[in-house]
Amino acid sequence: MANTVTDRPGYGQLLRTPGAWTFLLPGFAARQPFAMLTIGIVLLVQHTTGSYGTAGAVAAVAGVSMALVAPQGGKLADRFGQRAVLLPGVLLHTVSVSALTALALADAPLWALFAAAVPTGASVPQIGPMVRARWAAMLGATPDRPASPLMSTAAAFESVTDEFTFVLGPVIATALCTGVHPAAGLITEAALTLIGGLLFAAQRATQPAPRPAATADRPHTSALSVPGVRVLVVAFLGIGAVFGGMQVSLTAFSQEIGHPGVNGLLYGIFAAGNMLAGIVCGAIAWKSSPQRRLVVGYMALTLMASGLWAVHSVPLLAGLGLLVGLCIAPALISGYTLVESLVPAGARTEAFTWLTGAVALGQAAAVTVAGQLADAHGASTGFLVPLAGTVLALATLLALRSRLAPRSAGRTVARGIGHREPVMVD
């Protein structure tokens, strides 16, 4: 379906897209737990073991598992439909989180926690990518119509929604774990996943149509075969390093100063900056290309992250955290916007899950390293992780930014995703 839009498309027009609210509301409920899982694991395992390093390692196993399995789930969703993947996924996730919680409370050995963390991460429902794929199906280019100007607005809206969950999720999980019971955050995460996931799966009318079965002359290959997607994966690994490094380091900093409750406030300010920037980005009629916006946004993010390790007071850390958050949204929005021009329609759910998985993988690595650094040298050293992650990702992005050019309209080759696709010119 297509909307008639003005030259300055906005959120109001986007939300009037027929059928949008049928998946947005349950999608919001179903994606909320995504922001609660890592911090819920860290707070519970740290409570039972007394070690941020151990807690970070368990959370990292879940993150790595999600990052490796999520793209395969996205590929299956493209092939068989989102509902077919979601229904068994949310059930498995609920059981896995319950098992991990019970093992942690029973002081089970570390290997048992790792074993439970694997299916916990692998079964995380990829609601965000699925919602983005629904927007792309509604607004993206097809043989019968060009892409709607609302595509960029949709990418911004989804970034705002993601960041709103990252404002609420860690605060809710922290409040539950510190004010109710150390396991309350994970129990709530499992319940929300089950209820929200089932409601989202029930919205069958708006899910993208499954792509045709592969044939000998039209084999299905991964969205990761697109060079631009690989570059975006590296960029999103760096963003994940910021999220993971901030979560653990802010938690350790709050414990270090004797005010553990301030952790939720500091992370909420950081995420609020991201959300605010996302709102602004979606309201602007951009003249610059998303490739350029991605590079400029990433430079700003790296610059802001460079000062975190040197800040030792709550007000200054809150202010700098806000600036870091303001720089994340432009990079995320630009990256997700580029998927529409880089990846064929039949592989977009998979492409979005690669990016989401990259964030989770970067977050997992950052949680582990920052936790070890915080245990050994104090909270301030944990803030070096966001800096290192963004520097490495920015260097890769600058070196390979030509691969983010849109697919050429002039010549085509068989891309192996169900039909002939334009070659991307580097």
Side-chain angles (χ1 to χ4, degrees), residues 115-201:
V118 172
T120 294
S123 59
V124 172
Q126 298 301 307
I127 302 297
M130 290 183 179
V131 171
R132 287 182 167 91
R134 294 187 185 216
W135 280 125
M138 288 180 165
L139 305 173
T142 71
D144 302 321
R145 69 164 193 262
S148 167
L150 288 170
M151 273 297 300
S152 180
T153 307
F157 180 82
E158 288 307 308
S159 179
V160 172
T161 304
D162 280 342
E163 294 321 307
F164 189 50
T165 66
F166 275 99
V167 171
L168 291 180
V171 174
I172 293 172
T174 300
L176 289 170
C177 291
T178 58
V180 179
H181 188 276
L186 282 183
I187 292 172
T188 303
E189 189 272 350
L192 286 174
T193 297
L194 179 63
I195 297 170
L198 292 177
L199 288 174
F200 183 81

Side-chain angles (χ1 to χ4, degrees), residues 7 30 32 122 127 231 300 320 402:
D7 291 336
Q32 187 65 48
I127 302 297
V231 176
L320 188 55
S402 64

Side-chain angles (χ1 to χ4, degrees), residues 14 18 26 34 43 54 116 125 150 178 199 233 251 254 262 296 306 324 354 364 367 385 398-399:
L14 179 73
F34 184 84
L43 291 174
T54 300
L150 288 170
T178 58
L199 288 174
V233 164
T251 300
S254 301
V262 81
V296 172
S306 66
V324 172
W354 274 114
V367 163
V385 174
L398 290 174

Side-chain angles (χ1 to χ4, degrees), residues 403-415:
R403 299 188 179 186
L404 298 174
R407 290 171 289 150
S408 169
R411 53 194 179 92
T412 61
V413 297
R415 296 296 296 173

Side-chain angles (χ1 to χ4, degrees), residues 3 8 12 97 108 229 377 390:
N3 277 5
R8 295 181 65 83
V97 172
V229 172
H377 306 291
T390 53

